[in-house]
């Protein structure tokens, strides 16, 4: 939530920041602003709206300066308006913030701030506290402020009398920093840094970084120099634009064959799953008595597929817990519970906190993360990176299918380590996994057909999605996708549950999407479909290409999925559902990549 950028150097700071804010906008797009420090004077330009609106404003104002900070906001405290946009200024202090200051009311009282603030934000309170402690020593002011704060924060701060310098500090919320050819830069994530350099570092929590034109210096909170652990950007920057697609979501859907291949290929050796590069010992897979997956949203839906796979193939119990609920259900995890934390961004605060708790309880853990060096990757015991590359569209697509790919690999390695499968069974499973990219390519090649079929739900107010078992898990994700990008109310139902209440909502012409991919569930699923059809529902059926359908029945809308073995049908079916959601959003003329009220990275609880 919220994107942060800071740059000092000989380049065009205004342009660098505006371009970076566009790359970071997926983190929040309620308002945007920049501040430039020039000859002891700080100029702030900010407004509610998108970065493109800020860019227009800058064309009129023409700010000057080569040291600046910029912000794109997802509103938490205070509504969406110009005043609440960042940067915030108090005396000589100018500050941007990502996170939540939980004790901001107490701080307002303690430092007599009532009536002295220009906004309703917790962030301006933090700026005022920094100002309170500032007597010319930025480190001391930042250290003393941080010790007073409760909550999460990533701050970038400028002081009028500290020319060309930007200071930053964080707790939980991310900041990365780097040196560029002509300056120094910091940002909420590496996507904004990658156009300038491949070398960057993650600011450690409760450390202060100072950016100057030619150097970056890192200090701990006692003021001692700290060592910088440099990392390398692990994706091809030339692939981070839209590459001719109208929206990132379409581009990211289309990238799936390639990124799934890139995720599985390095982990297959001699046809067997292999996590030696991740240094994951087999004991992790053999010693656990149960598994607990923690994740949110789409990542949690990937976990549900993992549960079905592992329970069916390994025979051990798997719980999938919404990370946001984890702490409220008196979690029982221990040294016998393997915790798998799944997160594209690696920054989702609920997942991070749940993981930290599980580790305190002695649980071994694997994190499945897309962003290199992210907080969750660092908080876990082992990490398996999905190689999806930057996922910019708020709606997750390629991150989900690469998470699934990793879960197939984990299942296979677990079966192998436990000696559950014959050599032939293992090879068959791995061969099918390696076939996934080409099968997805076949779905992508039917883009026009899927676009046409998406018309079945285009004007709907409500859509129901029904299926059982793995098909139900597929639909939970398909339904989330449709809701978030098209604003159509849609619900996934385990089709056996319909008769226990929900079928009351099915009336003449209600659109229903049904997925039938599992042989053992087919006859029951088809019966459930007939039940809604006889109440007037219009059914769009996704079914395997070689299934025969009763000729006597009415199937106006059928999409034939390329054939895979049942446990792998999740892949083609999910991609087809992603495309339906995409085309509905596109045809409604919505901002597909930035749905209302959402942000890509959820760093507040
Ligand atoms: O970065 P994470 O994978 O931890 O994010 C979790 C959810 O916020 C995320 O999957 C969200 O549900 C998707 N953007 C939905 O498409």
């Amino acid at each position: 939530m919220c994107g942060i950028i800071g740059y000092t150097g000989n380049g065009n700071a205004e342009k660098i920041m505006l371009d970076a804010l566009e790359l970071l906008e997926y983190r929040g797009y309620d308002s945007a602003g920049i501040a430039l420090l020039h000859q002891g004077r700080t100029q702030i330009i900010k407004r509610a709206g998108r970065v493109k609106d800020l860019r227009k404003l800058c064309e009129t104002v023409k700010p000057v300066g080569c040291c600046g900070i910029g912000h794109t906001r997802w509103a938490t405290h205070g509504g969406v308006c110009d005043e609440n946009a960042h940067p915030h200024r108090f005396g000589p202090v100018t500050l941007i913030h990502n996170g939540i200051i939980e004790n901001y009311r107490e701080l307002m009282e303690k430092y007599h701030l009532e009536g002295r603030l220009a906004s309703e934000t917790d962030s301006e309170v933090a700026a005022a506290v920094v100002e309170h402690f500032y007597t010319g020593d930025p480190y001391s002011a930042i250290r003393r402020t941080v010790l007073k704060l409760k909550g999460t924060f990533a701050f970038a701060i400028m002081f009028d009398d500290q020319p060309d310098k930007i200071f930053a500090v964080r707790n939980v919320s991310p900041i990365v920093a780097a040196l560029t050819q002509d300056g120094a830069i910091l940002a909420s994530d590496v996507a904004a840094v990658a156009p300038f350099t491949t070398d960057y570092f993650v600011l450690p929590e409760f450390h202060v970084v100072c950016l100057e034109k030619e150097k970056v210096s890192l200090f701990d909170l006692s003021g001692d120099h700290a060592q910088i652990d440099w990392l390398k950007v692990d994706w091809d920057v030339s692939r981070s634009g839209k590459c001719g697609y109208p929206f990132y979501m379409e581009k990211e859907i289309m990238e799936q064959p390639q990124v799934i291949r890139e995720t599985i290929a390095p982990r297959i050796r001699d046809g067997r799953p292999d996590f030696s590069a991740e240094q994951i010992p087999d004991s992790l897979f053999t010693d656990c008595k149960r598994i607990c997956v923690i994740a949110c949203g789409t990542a949690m839906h990937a976990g549900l597929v993992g549960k079905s796979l592992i329970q069916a193939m390994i025979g051990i119990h798997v719980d999938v817990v919404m990370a946001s609920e984890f702490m409220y259900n008196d979690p029982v995890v221990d040294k016998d519970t393997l915790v798998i934390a799944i997160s594209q961004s690696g920054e989702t605060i609920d997942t991070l906190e749940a993981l930290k708790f599980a580790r305190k309880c002695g649980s071994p853990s694997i994190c499945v993360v897309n962003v290199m060096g992210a907080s969750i990757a660092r908080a876990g015991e082992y990490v398996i990176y999905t190689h999806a590359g930057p996922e910019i569209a708020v709606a997750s697509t390629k991150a989900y299918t690469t998470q699934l790919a990793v879960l197939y690999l984990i299942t296979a390695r677990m079966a192998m380590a436990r000696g559950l499968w014959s050599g032939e069974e293992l090879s068959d499973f791995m061969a099918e996994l390696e076939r996934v990219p080409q099968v997805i390519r076949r779905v992508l090649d039917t883009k026009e057909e899927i676009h046409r079929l998406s018309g079945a739900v285009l004007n709907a107010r409500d859509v129901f999605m029904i299926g059982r078992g793995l098909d139900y898990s597929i639909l939970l994700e398909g339904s989330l996708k449709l809701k978030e990008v098209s604003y159509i109310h849609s619900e996934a139902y385990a089709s056996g549950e319909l008769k226990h209440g929900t079928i009351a909502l099915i009336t003449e012409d209600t659109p229903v999407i049904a997925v039938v991919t599992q042989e053992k569930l087919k006859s029951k699923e088809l019966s459930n479909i007939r039940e809604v059809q006889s109440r007037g529902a219009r059914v769009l059926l996704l079914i395997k290409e070689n299934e025969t359908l009763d000729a006597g029945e009415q199937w106006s809308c059928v999409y034939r999925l390329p054939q895979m073995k049942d446990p792998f049908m999740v892949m083609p079916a999910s991609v087809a559902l992603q495309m339906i959601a995409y085309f509905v959003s596109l045809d409604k003329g919505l901002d597909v990549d930035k749905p209302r009220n959402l942000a890509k990275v959820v760093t507040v609880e």
Side-chain angles (χ1 to χ4, degrees), residues 296-299 342-346 348 394-396 403 480-481 484 602:
C296 294
T298 293
I342 308 176
S343 174
Q344 185 284 128
S345 62
T348 300
V394 166
S396 188
Q403 287 159 356
L480 175 63
K481 229 50 339 150
E484 71 177 325
V602 182

Side-chain angles (χ1 to χ4, degrees), residues 314-326:
I314 315 292
I316 63 170
H317 180 77
V318 183
D319 286 310
V320 180
V321 189
M322 270 177 223
S324 54
E325 284 291 301
F326 185 78

Side-chain angles (χ1 to χ4, degrees), residues 159-175:
F159 298 84
D160 286 355
D161 58 350
Q162 302 288 332
D164 300 332
K165 287 185 188 166
I166 300 168
F167 299 85
V169 66
R170 75 178 193 100
N171 173 36
V172 183
S173 309
I175 291 189

